[in-house]
Amino acid sequence: GDSVTQMEGPVTLSEEAFLTINCTYTATGYPSLFWYVQYPGEGLQLLLKATKADDKGSNKGFEATYRKETTSFHLEKGSVQVSDSAVYFCALIIQGAQKLVFGQGTRLTINP
Amino acid sequence: ETGVTQSPTHLIKTRGQQVTLRCSSQSGHNTVSWYQQALGQGPQFIFQYYREEENGRGNFPPRFSGLQFPNYSSELNVNALELDDSALYLCASSSVRTSRNNEQFFGPGTRLTVL
């Protein structure tokens, strides 16, 4: 079946460090890929998305590139801030399907 | 534009009881999906409602049921609550337009605790 595997957390970085959170997927069809962010006590917010191979999603300094050959969608940011502390979820949805399939989440803590 | 809202915010029930959670979809959205997020896990798809009918279901038992109303709001009902039902329940709405991009918009969730 369809699945998403994320880098195990928690991840702790200093402010202005470079961030990478790895995400790989297995899909029975052709997926769209997403990164969602969840701040403490809140629901999920869409951070960025990519709908086809080689697309790059970007938002708020975060980027991820849809790599079909490696079935990956790694999240990167060049210089993290304390306000980026949250849980990050990689997810996929197969075109025409109803459900988002999520990874287990990666907790990110940024220290000043 | 009003976003997705859910009520209540928190709920405490005892094992064996029944619970109803509510969701109002974002303005212009006609599809509602429900997810269960256990502590420390990613959300798991429960089911989706479109035009007041179930339109896909995940691996959840029949005691999880739902409704969608003509105004596209939705309810999630869980009967015979078990301790493992303790979780954050997320509602997400979408429309035909956003579905083309596979986008779903999430509410803040209802935290259910079963004692």
Side-chain angles (χ1 to χ4, degrees):
Chain A
D2 304 323
S3 66
V4 175
T5 302
Q6 282 183 238
M7 172 177 169
E8 294 240 355
V11 174
T12 302
L13 296 172
S14 298
E15 205 165 21
E16 299 184 4
F18 184 84
L19 169 71
T20 300
I21 301 178
N22 290 337
C23 170
T24 57
Y25 67 88
T26 302
T28 54
Y30 194 51
S32 294
L33 302 174
F34 304 85
W35 278 99
Y36 282 86
V37 59
Q38 188 173 38
Y39 297 101
E42 298 186 10
L44 299 177
Q45 297 178 25
L46 178 63
L47 181 59
L48 53 83
K49 67 180 186 342
T51 58
K52 61 183 187 295
D54 300 325
D55 266 2
K56 178 184 283 189
S58 61
N59 186 27
K60 300 181 181 180
F62 291 90
E63 293 183 339
T65 301
Y66 189 142
R67 300 289 188 198
K68 187 179 179 184
E69 63 276 13
T70 54
T71 62
S72 64
F73 192 55
H74 304 321
L75 182 68
E76 296 183 336
K77 186 175 185 182
S79 177
V80 292
Q81 306 300 313
V82 171
S83 57
D84 294 327
S85 298
V87 181
Y88 292 80
F89 292 93
C90 184
L92 68 81
I93 191 168
I94 301 300
Q95 186 66 37
Q98 297 81 30
K99 66 176 185 178
L100 282 160
V101 177
F102 288 88
Q104 74 272 30
T106 302
R107 181 175 298 278
L108 174 66
T109 302
I110 307 300
N111 294 320
Chain B
E1 186 177 80
T2 306
V4 180
T5 60
Q6 293 186 242
S7 63
T9 305
H10 296 88
L11 203 52
I12 299 174
K13 292 286 188 178
T14 55
R15 197 169 47 181
Q17 286 188 309
Q18 178 266 343
V19 69
T20 297
L21 311 181
R22 296 179 174 83
C23 171
S24 292
S25 59
Q26 186 166 317
S27 177
H29 288 185
N30 58 10
T31 302
V32 173
S33 303
W34 286 92
Y35 293 82
Q36 180 196 65
Q37 185 181 9
L39 195 62
Q41 302 295 317
Q44 299 289 318
F45 176 74
I46 303 175
F47 43 56
Q48 183 183 87
Y49 277 82
Y50 171 66
R51 292 187 174 180
E52 303 177 51
E53 294 194 0
E54 191 178 285
N55 183 44
R57 187 178 183 94
N59 189 27
F60 281 81
R63 60 189 185 84
F64 285 79
S65 63
L67 285 173
Q68 187 180 32
F69 300 98
N71 66 354
Y72 306 128
S73 66
S74 177
E75 289 182 353
L76 164 65
N77 299 290
V78 187
N79 293 322
L81 283 167
E82 300 177 359
L83 297 180
D84 285 349
D85 296 334
S86 295
L88 180 68
Y89 288 85
L90 295 164
C91 168
S93 74
S94 57
S95 68
V96 171
R97 179 180 61 82
T98 66
S99 291
R100 291 197 191 100
N101 294 323
N102 290 315
E103 287 191 35
Q104 298 182 13
F105 297 83
F106 284 83
T110 294
R111 172 75 61 189
L112 172 65
T113 302
V114 182
L115 302 177

